Amino acid sequence: MQLMRRRRCRTAAALAVLVLLAATSLWINRSGTPPGSASSSPGREQAQRARHQGPRPAIVPRRAWHAETVDTAPGARYAPAVKAAVIHHTSTPNGYDCATVPRMLRDLYAGHAYGRQWDDIGYNFLVDACGTIYEGRAGGVDRPVIGAHTKGFNEGTVGIAAIGTFTPGETVPEPMLDAIARLVAWKLGPRAPDPRGSVALVSTHDESRYPKGTKAVLPAVGGHTDGYPTRCPGAALYAKLPDIGARAARIQRR
């Protein structure tokens, strides 16, 4: 009698184990994650971040517009990462033929490199009225090159110049807005702030709007005037910056 009871207990225990194994298998098949394990893996987190990386837009390289060879450019300096975009205008006439932009870029380069005695053009990128994006400062479009566009906040930002003048009453061309948004969505990668938000940056120069060493909270997509006392990028373009940030966020699928 006792032997029969032992056999029954063993059978019941074996059935309980089988039921538990079946339930665990069903859980894994449904969720892909066994009970008690972390809800996300490094691979899944990486995929999640990649969702917020906009695709690289078409960019015209320096060699396509530069009067000199790229080899003459100085050694670039790099920041750890790009945290914000600073939008400028070039204060040059509007209504230009986009076919003449390479010559305009050479003139801008000459003004920065020779007129102001800078080591290169200050902007990282320039965008024309037709929506064409041009590489500006040397160092690699896919790298966090430190430009010379916003005194006090050059490190950790990308300087994007809209070719033209966008003071009150001027119209910012739609192709230009779209191109700037696509560029922002790419340069503000998955580890950067939401383009619609803000970012804390430390001023490196007393001539900026913030004394050197001050932590300033600036828009992730801001204007030159946010970090330096100037009217750049003009009231008309400045008013479009929230729209640019929203477009960039949509491209990043935020």
Side-chain angles (χ1 to χ4, degrees), residues 35 51 62 66 69 82 90 115 122 138 150-151 158 166 174 205 213 230 233 235 237 246 248:
R51 289 182 65 246
R62 282 170 62 95
H66 209 299
T69 64
V82 174
T90 57
T150 306
K151 187 175 288 187
V158 55
F166 299 103
E174 177 62 26
H205 206 288
T230 176
L237 180 52

PDB file of all heavy atoms in Angstrom, residues 35 51 62 66 69 82 90 115 122 138 150-151 158 166 174 205 213 230 233 235 237 246 248:
ATOM      1  N   PRO A  35      10.678  34.017 -18.072  1.00  0.00           N
ATOM      2  CA  PRO A  35      10.311  34.707 -16.841  1.00  0.00           C
ATOM      3  C   PRO A  35      11.535  35.015 -15.995  1.00  0.00           C
ATOM      4  O   PRO A  35      12.447  34.207 -15.883  1.00  0.00           O
ATOM      5  CB  PRO A  35       9.388  33.696 -16.129  1.00  0.00           C
ATOM      6  CG  PRO A  35       8.952  32.736 -17.184  1.00  0.00           C
ATOM      7  CD  PRO A  35      10.039  32.693 -18.193  1.00  0.00           C
ATOM      8  N   ARG A  51      16.295  53.707 -34.064  1.00  0.00           N
ATOM      9  CA  ARG A  51      15.044  54.242 -34.591  1.00  0.00           C
ATOM     10  C   ARG A  51      15.086  55.759 -34.669  1.00  0.00           C
ATOM     11  O   ARG A  51      14.389  56.368 -35.469  1.00  0.00           O
ATOM     12  CB  ARG A  51      13.872  53.814 -33.703  1.00  0.00           C
ATOM     13  CG  ARG A  51      13.511  52.352 -33.788  1.00  0.00           C
ATOM     14  CD  ARG A  51      12.310  52.028 -32.922  1.00  0.00           C
ATOM     15  NE  ARG A  51      11.117  52.704 -33.405  1.00  0.00           N
ATOM     16  CZ  ARG A  51      10.483  53.658 -32.737  1.00  0.00           C
ATOM     17  NH1 ARG A  51      10.947  54.070 -31.579  1.00  0.00           N
ATOM     18  NH2 ARG A  51       9.399  54.210 -33.231  1.00  0.00           N
ATOM     19  N   ARG A  62      33.320  69.151 -50.119  1.00  0.00           N
ATOM     20  CA  ARG A  62      34.138  70.363 -50.282  1.00  0.00           C
ATOM     21  C   ARG A  62      34.822  70.421 -51.643  1.00  0.00           C
ATOM     22  O   ARG A  62      34.899  71.477 -52.261  1.00  0.00           O
ATOM     23  CB  ARG A  62      35.221  70.400 -49.191  1.00  0.00           C
ATOM     24  CG  ARG A  62      34.752  70.825 -47.842  1.00  0.00           C
ATOM     25  CD  ARG A  62      35.834  70.593 -46.797  1.00  0.00           C
ATOM     26  NE  ARG A  62      37.046  71.355 -47.021  1.00  0.00           N
ATOM     27  CZ  ARG A  62      37.317  72.536 -46.451  1.00  0.00           C
ATOM     28  NH1 ARG A  62      36.435  73.083 -45.643  1.00  0.00           N
ATOM     29  NH2 ARG A  62      38.451  73.153 -46.686  1.00  0.00           N
ATOM     30  N   HIS A  66      35.288  73.869 -53.596  1.00  0.00           N
ATOM     31  CA  HIS A  66      36.432  74.571 -53.023  1.00  0.00           C
ATOM     32  C   HIS A  66      37.427  75.006 -54.094  1.00  0.00           C
ATOM     33  O   HIS A  66      37.747  74.253 -54.995  1.00  0.00           O
ATOM     34  CB  HIS A  66      37.127  73.673 -51.996  1.00  0.00           C
ATOM     35  CG  HIS A  66      37.804  74.433 -50.899  1.00  0.00           C
ATOM     36  ND1 HIS A  66      38.814  75.320 -51.128  1.00  0.00           N
ATOM     37  CD2 HIS A  66      37.588  74.448 -49.562  1.00  0.00           C
ATOM     38  CE1 HIS A  66      39.207  75.837 -49.981  1.00  0.00           C
ATOM     39  NE2 HIS A  66      38.478  75.326 -49.017  1.00  0.00           N
ATOM     40  N   THR A  69      42.590  72.696 -52.849  1.00  0.00           N
ATOM     41  CA  THR A  69      42.433  71.269 -52.605  1.00  0.00           C
ATOM     42  C   THR A  69      42.115  71.038 -51.136  1.00  0.00           C
ATOM     43  O   THR A  69      42.492  71.816 -50.259  1.00  0.00           O
ATOM     44  CB  THR A  69      43.723  70.509 -52.954  1.00  0.00           C
ATOM     45  OG1 THR A  69      44.765  70.938 -52.074  1.00  0.00           O
ATOM     46  CG2 THR A  69      44.138  70.760 -54.389  1.00  0.00           C
ATOM     47  N   VAL A  82      27.926  65.385 -31.031  1.00  0.00           N
ATOM     48  CA  VAL A  82      27.102  66.538 -31.398  1.00  0.00           C
ATOM     49  C   VAL A  82      25.844  66.504 -30.545  1.00  0.00           C
ATOM     50  O   VAL A  82      25.087  65.539 -30.570  1.00  0.00           O
ATOM     51  CB  VAL A  82      26.732  66.505 -32.895  1.00  0.00           C
ATOM     52  CG1 VAL A  82      25.743  67.628 -33.222  1.00  0.00           C
ATOM     53  CG2 VAL A  82      27.975  66.634 -33.752  1.00  0.00           C
ATOM     54  N   THR A  90      23.690  83.437 -43.866  1.00  0.00           N
ATOM     55  CA  THR A  90      24.980  83.956 -44.331  1.00  0.00           C
ATOM     56  C   THR A  90      24.961  85.458 -44.586  1.00  0.00           C
ATOM     57  O   THR A  90      26.008  86.043 -44.882  1.00  0.00           O
ATOM     58  CB  THR A  90      25.401  83.238 -45.627  1.00  0.00           C
ATOM     59  OG1 THR A  90      24.374  83.406 -46.611  1.00  0.00           O
ATOM     60  CG2 THR A  90      25.632  81.749 -45.373  1.00  0.00           C
ATOM     61  N   GLY A 115      39.842  86.930 -44.936  1.00  0.00           N
ATOM     62  CA  GLY A 115      39.387  88.199 -44.381  1.00  0.00           C
ATOM     63  C   GLY A 115      39.465  88.236 -42.863  1.00  0.00           C
ATOM     64  O   GLY A 115      39.959  89.197 -42.271  1.00  0.00           O
ATOM     65  N   GLY A 122      33.776  78.777 -41.293  1.00  0.00           N
ATOM     66  CA  GLY A 122      33.326  78.510 -39.931  1.00  0.00           C
ATOM     67  C   GLY A 122      32.207  77.496 -39.815  1.00  0.00           C
ATOM     68  O   GLY A 122      32.148  76.731 -38.851  1.00  0.00           O
ATOM     69  N   ALA A 138      36.215  71.476 -42.949  1.00  0.00           N
ATOM     70  CA  ALA A 138      36.844  70.181 -43.197  1.00  0.00           C
ATOM     71  C   ALA A 138      36.860  69.330 -41.931  1.00  0.00           C
ATOM     72  O   ALA A 138      36.781  69.838 -40.814  1.00  0.00           O
ATOM     73  CB  ALA A 138      38.270  70.381 -43.704  1.00  0.00           C
ATOM     74  N   THR A 150      29.732  79.849 -33.535  1.00  0.00           N
ATOM     75  CA  THR A 150      29.017  80.429 -32.397  1.00  0.00           C
ATOM     76  C   THR A 150      29.987  80.540 -31.228  1.00  0.00           C
ATOM     77  O   THR A 150      30.221  79.559 -30.513  1.00  0.00           O
ATOM     78  CB  THR A 150      27.805  79.559 -31.994  1.00  0.00           C
ATOM     79  OG1 THR A 150      26.976  79.348 -33.135  1.00  0.00           O
ATOM     80  CG2 THR A 150      26.983  80.238 -30.904  1.00  0.00           C
ATOM     81  N   LYS A 151      30.562  81.708 -31.051  1.00  0.00           N
ATOM     82  CA  LYS A 151      31.587  81.878 -30.016  1.00  0.00           C
ATOM     83  C   LYS A 151      31.038  81.466 -28.649  1.00  0.00           C
ATOM     84  O   LYS A 151      29.994  81.934 -28.215  1.00  0.00           O
ATOM     85  CB  LYS A 151      32.059  83.332 -29.978  1.00  0.00           C
ATOM     86  CG  LYS A 151      33.241  83.571 -29.047  1.00  0.00           C
ATOM     87  CD  LYS A 151      33.749  85.006 -29.147  1.00  0.00           C
ATOM     88  CE  LYS A 151      34.479  85.241 -30.456  1.00  0.00           C
ATOM     89  NZ  LYS A 151      35.128  86.591 -30.484  1.00  0.00           N
ATOM     90  N   VAL A 158      26.641  71.531 -34.126  1.00  0.00           N
ATOM     91  CA  VAL A 158      26.861  71.551 -35.566  1.00  0.00           C
ATOM     92  C   VAL A 158      26.305  72.867 -36.092  1.00  0.00           C
ATOM     93  O   VAL A 158      25.157  73.226 -35.823  1.00  0.00           O
ATOM     94  CB  VAL A 158      26.201  70.341 -36.266  1.00  0.00           C
ATOM     95  CG1 VAL A 158      24.717  70.231 -35.969  1.00  0.00           C
ATOM     96  CG2 VAL A 158      26.443  70.389 -37.769  1.00  0.00           C
ATOM     97  N   PHE A 166      17.608  86.404 -43.904  1.00  0.00           N
ATOM     98  CA  PHE A 166      16.248  86.078 -43.481  1.00  0.00           C
ATOM     99  C   PHE A 166      15.780  86.984 -42.344  1.00  0.00           C
ATOM    100  O   PHE A 166      15.351  86.533 -41.287  1.00  0.00           O
ATOM    101  CB  PHE A 166      16.168  84.595 -43.120  1.00  0.00           C
ATOM    102  CG  PHE A 166      16.499  83.725 -44.300  1.00  0.00           C
ATOM    103  CD1 PHE A 166      17.738  83.113 -44.407  1.00  0.00           C
ATOM    104  CD2 PHE A 166      15.605  83.595 -45.343  1.00  0.00           C
ATOM    105  CE1 PHE A 166      18.064  82.353 -45.513  1.00  0.00           C
ATOM    106  CE2 PHE A 166      15.913  82.839 -46.463  1.00  0.00           C
ATOM    107  CZ  PHE A 166      17.148  82.214 -46.554  1.00  0.00           C
ATOM    108  N   GLU A 174      10.880  76.589 -48.814  1.00  0.00           N
ATOM    109  CA  GLU A 174      10.497  75.282 -48.283  1.00  0.00           C
ATOM    110  C   GLU A 174      11.582  74.223 -48.497  1.00  0.00           C
ATOM    111  O   GLU A 174      11.871  73.447 -47.569  1.00  0.00           O
ATOM    112  CB  GLU A 174       9.182  74.835 -48.920  1.00  0.00           C
ATOM    113  CG  GLU A 174       8.711  73.454 -48.498  1.00  0.00           C
ATOM    114  CD  GLU A 174       8.429  73.335 -47.010  1.00  0.00           C
ATOM    115  OE1 GLU A 174       8.119  74.371 -46.376  1.00  0.00           O
ATOM    116  OE2 GLU A 174       8.533  72.209 -46.480  1.00  0.00           O
ATOM    117  N   HIS A 205      33.475  80.874 -23.678  1.00  0.00           N
ATOM    118  CA  HIS A 205      33.993  82.216 -23.971  1.00  0.00           C
ATOM    119  C   HIS A 205      33.126  83.279 -23.303  1.00  0.00           C
ATOM    120  O   HIS A 205      31.895  83.204 -23.336  1.00  0.00           O
ATOM    121  CB  HIS A 205      34.025  82.451 -25.482  1.00  0.00           C
ATOM    122  CG  HIS A 205      35.041  83.458 -25.906  1.00  0.00           C
ATOM    123  ND1 HIS A 205      34.894  84.810 -25.673  1.00  0.00           N
ATOM    124  CD2 HIS A 205      36.233  83.319 -26.544  1.00  0.00           C
ATOM    125  CE1 HIS A 205      35.935  85.458 -26.151  1.00  0.00           C
ATOM    126  NE2 HIS A 205      36.772  84.574 -26.680  1.00  0.00           N
ATOM    127  N   GLY A 213      32.379  79.129 -18.637  1.00  0.00           N
ATOM    128  CA  GLY A 213      32.175  78.185 -17.547  1.00  0.00           C
ATOM    129  C   GLY A 213      30.740  78.058 -17.095  1.00  0.00           C
ATOM    130  O   GLY A 213      30.420  77.174 -16.295  1.00  0.00           O
ATOM    131  N   THR A 230      23.687  88.484 -31.294  1.00  0.00           N
ATOM    132  CA  THR A 230      23.609  88.784 -32.716  1.00  0.00           C
ATOM    133  C   THR A 230      22.163  88.626 -33.156  1.00  0.00           C
ATOM    134  O   THR A 230      21.351  88.027 -32.442  1.00  0.00           O
ATOM    135  CB  THR A 230      24.505  87.829 -33.528  1.00  0.00           C
ATOM    136  OG1 THR A 230      24.339  88.078 -34.919  1.00  0.00           O
ATOM    137  CG2 THR A 230      24.142  86.380 -33.258  1.00  0.00           C
ATOM    138  N   PRO A 233      19.969  84.017 -36.806  1.00  0.00           N
ATOM    139  CA  PRO A 233      19.819  83.825 -38.250  1.00  0.00           C
ATOM    140  C   PRO A 233      18.730  84.668 -38.895  1.00  0.00           C
ATOM    141  O   PRO A 233      18.194  84.284 -39.939  1.00  0.00           O
ATOM    142  CB  PRO A 233      19.452  82.346 -38.334  1.00  0.00           C
ATOM    143  CG  PRO A 233      18.585  82.125 -37.132  1.00  0.00           C
ATOM    144  CD  PRO A 233      19.192  82.988 -36.058  1.00  0.00           C
ATOM    145  N   ALA A 235      15.106  87.137 -38.070  1.00  0.00           N
ATOM    146  CA  ALA A 235      13.825  86.843 -37.415  1.00  0.00           C
ATOM    147  C   ALA A 235      12.975  85.855 -38.203  1.00  0.00           C
ATOM    148  O   ALA A 235      12.283  85.015 -37.622  1.00  0.00           O
ATOM    149  CB  ALA A 235      13.056  88.141 -37.193  1.00  0.00           C
ATOM    150  N   LEU A 237      13.899  83.354 -40.223  1.00  0.00           N
ATOM    151  CA  LEU A 237      14.380  81.979 -40.076  1.00  0.00           C
ATOM    152  C   LEU A 237      14.282  81.522 -38.624  1.00  0.00           C
ATOM    153  O   LEU A 237      13.940  80.364 -38.354  1.00  0.00           O
ATOM    154  CB  LEU A 237      15.819  81.872 -40.577  1.00  0.00           C
ATOM    155  CG  LEU A 237      16.479  80.489 -40.494  1.00  0.00           C
ATOM    156  CD1 LEU A 237      15.628  79.416 -41.145  1.00  0.00           C
ATOM    157  CD2 LEU A 237      17.875  80.528 -41.121  1.00  0.00           C
ATOM    158  N   ALA A 246      10.594  70.082 -35.136  1.00  0.00           N
ATOM    159  CA  ALA A 246       9.479  69.131 -35.227  1.00  0.00           C
ATOM    160  C   ALA A 246       9.632  68.229 -36.449  1.00  0.00           C
ATOM    161  O   ALA A 246       9.364  67.020 -36.384  1.00  0.00           O
ATOM    162  CB  ALA A 246       8.158  69.892 -35.286  1.00  0.00           C
ATOM    163  N   ALA A 248      12.466  67.406 -37.897  1.00  0.00           N
ATOM    164  CA  ALA A 248      13.575  66.489 -37.623  1.00  0.00           C
ATOM    165  C   ALA A 248      13.127  65.352 -36.714  1.00  0.00           C
ATOM    166  O   ALA A 248      13.505  64.192 -36.911  1.00  0.00           O
ATOM    167  CB  ALA A 248      14.738  67.255 -36.998  1.00  0.00           C
TER     168      ALA A 248
END
